[in-house]
Amino acid sequence: YGGLDGYAFGGFATLGGDVVGVQQSVGLAVAERVRGVQLGVVGVALHLEGAQLGAFNVSGGGEGAQIGFVNVASVLRGPQVGILNIGDRADVGVGIINIYAQGRTQLEVTGDSGGLLRLAVKHGAGWWHSVYTVASSPFYREVALMVGLGFGARAEITDALHFDADVMTYYVVDTRWQPGTSFYSRVQLLAGVQVIDALDVVFGVGLDVFFTDVAGTPVYTPALDVRWDMNTTFWPTLILGVQAGD
C-alpha cells in the first residue's frame, strides 16, 4: 500500500495511496487520491482528479467524472453517468435515478391543449435533471393513468427566467383507455417566469406521440392528431402550468 506513478494492475484488489496514472483491478481498486483513471468493479477514492470507470464508484469528491452503474460522491466538479447517482452536488448527473442533497428539485403541474393533466418531479444537479411523472386524461370518456420517466436540461437566463427542454415516455396503465400495450411520449420546451419566490408560471409547446400494439383508432385522439401508421399517432400541443421549488 503506497504511492503509484504510472500503471498498476491487480487481480481481485489493488490498494494505493496517491495514484498518478492508471489503477486497474478486476475487483476492488482503492486509493487515497487518484490523479488519472481508476478502473475496477468497485472503485474507491477519497479524492478524485480524473475518472472512475467501474460498476460501483465511490469518491469523497474532487474534479473529474464517475461512469458506472452506481456512482457515489460528496461534491464532484464534473459529471456522474450511471443508473443511480448519489451525492451532495455534481455538475451534471445523468442517470435513471439521481439523488443530490444539494441538488435542484421542482414540482411541476401542467395541463395541455390535448386535454392531459400531468404531475412531474424534476430533480438533478447543474443543468441536467431527471423527470418522474404521472399523467391522466380526466376530460375523456375513458380516464387513463400513465406513469413515466424522462430527462431534461435547463438554461437559466436570469433569476426570474429559465427554459426547460424535456423528453418523457409514459406507460399507459389503464387498458380500458386503450386495449393492448400502449406508450405515450412527449418532447417539450417550457419557459418559466418567476411570480414569487420558489413559484414559477411555465408555458410552452410540445410534440406528443402515442403508440399502441393494437392497430386501430386510439381512444385518445386530439383534434390536430396525425396518423403515422395504424399503431402510431402524433400531434402538437400547447402547455400551461406552474412549477414550485428550488
Side-chain angles (χ1 to χ4, degrees):
Y1 188 92
L4 165 67
D5 190 347
Y7 173 80
F9 174 79
F12 291 104
T14 57
L15 305 177
D18 286 344
V19 174
V20 180
V22 179
Q23 182 189 36
Q24 183 177 5
S25 171
V26 296
L28 175 65
V30 179
E32 290 184 2
R33 179 184 294 268
V34 173
R35 287 180 288 175
V37 180
Q38 187 180 60
L39 303 169
V41 176
V42 178
V44 179
L46 297 183
H47 185 80
L48 176 66
E49 296 178 25
Q52 286 182 306
L53 308 175
F56 302 91
N57 301 309
V58 180
S59 172
E63 184 172 0
Q66 289 182 315
I67 301 176
F69 294 117
V70 178
N71 302 304
V72 180
S74 178
V75 177
L76 184 65
R77 294 189 301 273
Q80 287 183 310
V81 181
I83 296 175
L84 172 63
N85 300 313
I86 301 174
D88 289 332
R89 187 174 68 250
D91 285 349
V92 179
V94 181
I96 297 176
I97 300 176
N98 298 312
I99 302 174
Y100 295 107
Q102 302 174 20
R104 171 169 55 84
T105 304
Q106 286 91 30
L107 177 66
E108 187 176 275
V109 180
T110 58
D112 63 49
S113 56
L116 289 180
L117 297 180
R118 77 187 64 240
L119 173 68
V121 174
K122 294 181 176 181
H123 176 75
W127 53 270
W128 187 269
H129 54 253
S130 297
V131 183
Y132 312 97
T133 175
V134 295
S136 186
S137 56
F139 307 112
Y140 281 75
R141 62 180 183 272
E142 295 290 352
V143 178
L145 174 65
M146 296 174 279
V147 294
L149 291 172
F151 58 87
R154 168 165 295 190
E156 297 275 0
I157 308 304
T158 69
D159 291 340
L161 174 65
H162 71 267
F163 291 93
D164 284 353
D166 304 311
V167 178
M168 296 163 286
T169 294
Y170 295 81
Y171 173 70
V172 180
V173 177
D174 193 344
T175 57
R176 293 177 302 169
W177 194 58
Q178 181 67 44
T181 301
S182 301
F183 294 93
Y184 161 70
S185 297
R186 164 172 288 180
V187 179
Q188 67 181 24
L189 177 62
L190 297 180
V193 178
Q194 187 181 66
V195 290
I196 59 173
D197 188 36
L199 181 65
D200 297 347
V201 172
V202 294
F203 54 92
V205 295
L207 178 64
D208 294 353
V209 179
F210 182 81
F211 172 82
T212 178
D213 62 356
V214 177
T217 302
V219 173
Y220 183 63
T221 52
L224 297 178
D225 70 305
V226 177
R227 298 296 300 275
W228 180 262
D229 54 32
M230 293 299 292
N231 302 89
T232 307
T233 307
F234 64 92
W235 60 92
T237 189
L238 300 176
I239 305 163
L240 178 64
V242 293
Q243 190 179 87
D246 296 322

